Amino acid sequence: MRSIRPSFVARRGRKASRQIPPALTAVALASALALTATACDSGGTDADSRASASASAAGDGKITIPDDIKDRLKEHGIDLDKWKNGAWKNWDRDDWLREAQDYVNPIIKGLWDPDRMREAEDPDRSVDENDLSDDQGVTDPEPAAVDAAAVPTTYHANAPEAGKVFFDSPEGTMVCSATVVRDPANPGKSNMVWTAGHCVHAGKKGGWYRNIAFVPSYNDSGMSAAKLQTATKEEVAPYGVWWGDWAQTSDQWIEQGGQTGGDGASYDFAVIHVTPEEGGSGKSLEEMVGSALPVDFAAPAVTKVKSITATGYPAAAPYDGQTLYQCQDRPGRLSLNGTDPTMYRIGCTMTGGSSGGGWVAAGSDGKPALVSNTSIGPVGAGWLAGPRLGEVAKGVYDSVSDKFAGR
């Protein structure tokens, strides 16, 4: 997760995500947060929630991209063959695709091998407690820290919707946490994943991250870091590697999201539509993992929520990013300014890498539902904050669902 004034910490050529001055310094991608505006759908959506287009893989393994996207790529001087052969590593600012409609993520088979996944770092985003002193909105007292508890193995049996999002950024190979969510247009056959905006887009000073992929039930058996060094891809990713063929985030994240000050945190959410790297068996992600969470955009007010459970793969010390954890606490309110929506905040010792992980509570119908995701936390850990999901989040979600309706 990211700190309010996130800082990138380099390690082995990779950097962690942003923090809010002394905010959470996360280890790998798992905690990076950056809200990104969604790309425009051919059908058109409102300014707060436009859909972004991406490449998809045909059954023969070849990359197919809509003609309008091809034209835009040509305008940026991007050759897909060169891209797959390593041109994606060029992060020249002039060539870094930023606009929502420019999102593209061609599958590069085998890129996410066990070693690359294990060494990915979180884009942490932590918050300097001093940044909260002048809040104009409502902020409750800082919650007592709640020790994160390891999820019993196998993870698939206890948190089947949870997994990791991997991506490449100018700072290196990164990781975040994510959740399989239901697709109203394809009931029982969802290919939609919920995560933080900063896990797909760099915000106001950057563009779309690259090689975005989701691994459900990562390290399902809970192997130690030492054992993972010799683990097979099937052991690390028992339900496969799923590449993002479409991604969308809020316009607010793209326009406001930053590495310092918690900018855009109230809109730090994103939806990724995925497709299997190897073509798969024809089963959807939901069918493959056997579950998907509903998303509640009308959850009770913060003061009426009795308990929230946050799930993720924390990667900053004392964690190593290889084990799934959860925190459960009654939420309080966190306001970073007087104009953006008030956020949920819970006590939790999870660190960077848990960014994007799902927050589950009793929804408006009383049943478990995703109501938020990890976005920011303090540099020294102890609590996490996530956006409340309202109309803007629903617009992002509906746009992705509508784009793939009937497919």
Side-chain angles (χ1 to χ4, degrees):
M1 75 203 128
R2 56 177 186 153
S3 54
I4 288 187
R5 188 154 302 154
S7 64
F8 285 84
V9 180
R11 187 184 71 180
R12 295 185 185 177
R14 301 176 175 83
K15 291 186 179 181
S17 82
R18 59 175 185 156
Q19 307 173 321
I20 292 186
L24 302 172
T25 58
V27 181
L29 296 180
S31 64
L33 340 153
L35 287 161
T36 77
T38 64
C40 297
D41 184 342
S42 57
T45 59
D46 62 44
D48 285 335
S49 58
R50 294 169 296 173
S52 65
S54 75
S56 61
D60 58 2
K62 296 181 179 179
I63 299 301
T64 59
I65 297 181
D67 290 340
D68 60 333
I69 298 299
K70 288 182 179 179
D71 292 340
R72 279 194 283 271
L73 290 176
K74 290 179 180 178
E75 291 175 4
H76 287 283
I78 293 177
D79 180 292
L80 281 180
D81 290 332
K82 292 181 179 179
W83 180 279
K84 293 179 64 179
N85 288 328
W88 64 265
K89 297 177 183 178
N90 176 17
W91 293 96
D92 184 280
R93 184 155 187 87
D94 292 336
D95 295 327
W96 192 3
L97 302 183
R98 166 177 173 75
E99 300 305 319
Q101 65 270 21
D102 291 337
Y103 174 80
V104 62
N105 193 47
I107 293 175
I108 303 177
K109 289 187 177 181
L111 179 69
W112 291 112
D113 59 28
D115 288 341
R116 206 161 187 268
M117 286 190 275
R118 187 182 65 254
E119 295 178 1
E121 300 188 1
D122 72 284
D124 100 310
R125 193 174 177 227
S126 51
V127 176
D128 185 341
E129 302 292 343
N130 295 327
D131 287 348
L132 307 180
S133 60
D134 295 326
D135 286 340
Q136 299 177 27
V138 178
T139 294
D140 293 321
E142 181 177 330
V146 173
D147 289 336
V151 175
T153 55
T154 61
Y155 299 148
H156 181 262
N158 296 287
E161 305 89 359
K164 277 191 174 188
V165 167
F166 296 91
F167 58 96
D168 283 298
S169 78
E171 288 72 38
T173 302
M174 299 288 175
V175 63
C176 279
S177 299
T179 306
V180 181
V181 293
R182 293 180 184 174
D183 179 356
N186 292 289
K189 297 183 178 182
S190 175
N191 284 307
M192 291 169 56
V193 175
W194 191 282
T195 190
H198 72 264
C199 299
V200 297
H201 193 287
K204 61 185 175 183
K205 293 185 178 180
W208 293 101
Y209 292 129
R210 299 170 184 171
N211 303 324
I212 299 172
F214 175 67
V215 176
S217 297
Y218 172 83
N219 188 23
D220 193 38
S221 62
M223 289 185 287
S224 66
K227 288 186 177 181
L228 281 171
Q229 292 184 13
T230 57
T232 64
K233 189 170 184 178
E234 289 70 25
E235 290 174 320
V236 173
Y239 298 93
V241 176
W242 297 70
W243 281 67
D245 59 359
W246 190 273
Q248 183 164 339
T249 184
S250 68
D251 288 347
Q252 288 87 340
W253 174 256
I254 288 179
E255 296 167 359
Q256 304 170 18
Q259 294 300 324
T260 61
D263 296 343
S266 294
Y267 298 95
D268 187 15
F269 41 76
V271 176
I272 306 170
H273 189 277
V274 298
T275 189
E277 178 179 275
E278 298 296 337
S281 62
K283 288 185 177 181
S284 66
L285 175 61
E286 181 178 0
E287 290 172 307
M288 184 65 71
V289 303
S291 184
L293 281 173
V295 183
D296 194 334
F297 301 101
V302 178
T303 55
K304 295 184 182 297
V305 179
K306 295 181 179 180
S307 177
I308 281 181
T309 298
T311 303
Y313 286 86
Y319 307 98
D320 62 9
Q322 312 307 317
T323 303
L324 187 64
Y325 283 85
Q326 290 181 328
C327 285
Q328 185 175 8
D329 193 21
R330 183 163 192 160
R333 294 166 291 185
L334 174 64
S335 179
L336 300 178
N337 58 59
T339 58
D340 288 340
T342 299
M343 302 176 72
Y344 289 118
R345 180 165 66 166
I346 62 172
C348 185
T349 59
M350 283 199 290
T351 56
S354 60
S355 284
W359 289 30
V360 177
S364 54
D365 61 358
K367 298 179 180 180
L370 186 135
V371 298
S372 185
N373 58 263
T374 299
S375 176
I376 56 176
V379 172
W383 56 263
L384 302 176
R388 291 188 62 197
L389 306 182
E391 288 302 311
V392 174
K394 189 176 187 302
V396 171
Y397 176 78
D398 288 345
S399 180
V400 177
S401 176
D402 292 346
K403 182 67 179 179
F404 292 86
R407 298 192 194 180

